[in-house]
Amino acid sequence: MIFATLEHILTHLSFSIISIVITIHLMTLLVHEVIRLRHSSEKGMIATFFSITGFLVTRWISSRHFPLSNLYESLIFLSWGFSIIHIISKIWNHKNDLSAITAPSAIFTQGFATSGLSSEMHQSSILVPALQSQWLMMHVSMMLLSYAALLCGSLLSVAFLVITFRKNIDLFCENKIFLIKSFFFGKIEYLNENKSVLKHTSFLSFRNYYKYQLTQRLDYWSYRVINLGFTFLTIGILSGAVWANEAWGSYWNWDPKETWAFITWTIFAIYSHTRTNQSLQGTNSALVASIGFLIIWICYFGINLLGIGLHSYGSFILTSN
């Protein structure tokens, strides 16, 4: 009873804190001068991290097994993964370009776990025989950390594509307007316009300099975070293969979850290949990462929604009104 109450308090505390963090982020978008708000949001994410950590430790003690046996626990762990990526990125980069991705991702996953799942899913249960293994912590934690990192990196790639696409549209519209003016103003005005081409181009370059810097940072962090997630994914698949051999007598069974995990690994292996080829970097690699974003959700939620295969322990029931 004490553990259940503590879990309830820690879950709702972390959800409340991260909701405040999102509000602060929205306020800082409107009021850039308020530096204290930014510091408050960072402290809020740290408090969220410790609250979720406290929940996981409490459930670990009460259930006597690592809390990754159902979808509710895995979603809370995924939210914990987003918060730790946020903290690590803050240590590496004080500007913390990932904050606009990690904070909303954490609140989305935790909000869905708290409000979107049935109350039965919130309860800790005895592990089925196949899950009673020391590989549970290694395999599932690596997979979920890989999902967290790959989702963050993929969202950064999506943001890169959106900003690049809008920048190209803006440049196209500016050039088109300039050509129309040159055509209708006549020869004298056209010559005057030609004299100001350099000034006009410099103005456009100055305007797009910030966007260029932002896209470069997004591309850089996307590559770094996806590399981290790809490493975790590889370790998770290999440890899962060893565990499968221990539990079912075969390293690979082409189970739906295994198949989609392999597809996910293949997509991000292609992404890594595009990063080694300079002609394929930028937009092409970002497109591959964006496809990977959808594949991850199919692998993580799609199979759980259908509840098929050997990995059906994480299937879930939505709350009904």
Side-chain angles (χ1 to χ4, degrees), residues 83-100:
S83 63
I84 197 171
I85 289 173
H86 178 95
I87 294 172
I88 293 173
S89 63
K90 176 62 179 177
I91 295 172
W92 284 351
N93 177 24
H94 293 292
K95 290 183 179 179
N96 203 1
D97 299 313
L98 280 172
S99 61

Side-chain angles (χ1 to χ4, degrees), residues 60 66 68 133-142 243:
W60 193 350
F66 196 66
L68 285 175
S133 171
Q134 68 272 17
W135 289 103
L136 172 67
M137 182 190 300
M138 179 69 175
H139 170 62
V140 184
S141 63
M142 286 294 101
W243 188 8

Side-chain angles (χ1 to χ4, degrees), residues 55-56 59-60 63-77 120-128 130-132 136-137 140-141 144 243 300 304 311-316:
F55 167 83
L56 293 173
R59 173 150 301 205
W60 193 350
S63 63
R64 298 181 181 179
H65 61 76
F66 196 66
L68 285 175
S69 59
N70 57 31
L71 187 64
Y72 172 72
E73 294 174 347
S74 71
L75 281 169
I76 297 296
F77 190 89
E120 289 91 7
M121 289 293 295
H122 294 189
Q123 305 300 320
S124 180
S125 58
I126 300 174
L127 292 177
V128 297
L131 294 180
Q132 294 175 7
L136 172 67
M137 182 190 300
V140 184
S141 63
L144 288 174
W243 188 8
Y300 181 50
N304 293 113
H311 292 77
S312 59
Y313 315 112
S315 59
F316 64 93

Side-chain angles (χ1 to χ4, degrees), residues 231-243:
T231 302
F232 285 148
L233 182 64
T234 304
I235 296 173
I237 291 176
L238 291 176
S239 60
V242 176
W243 188 8

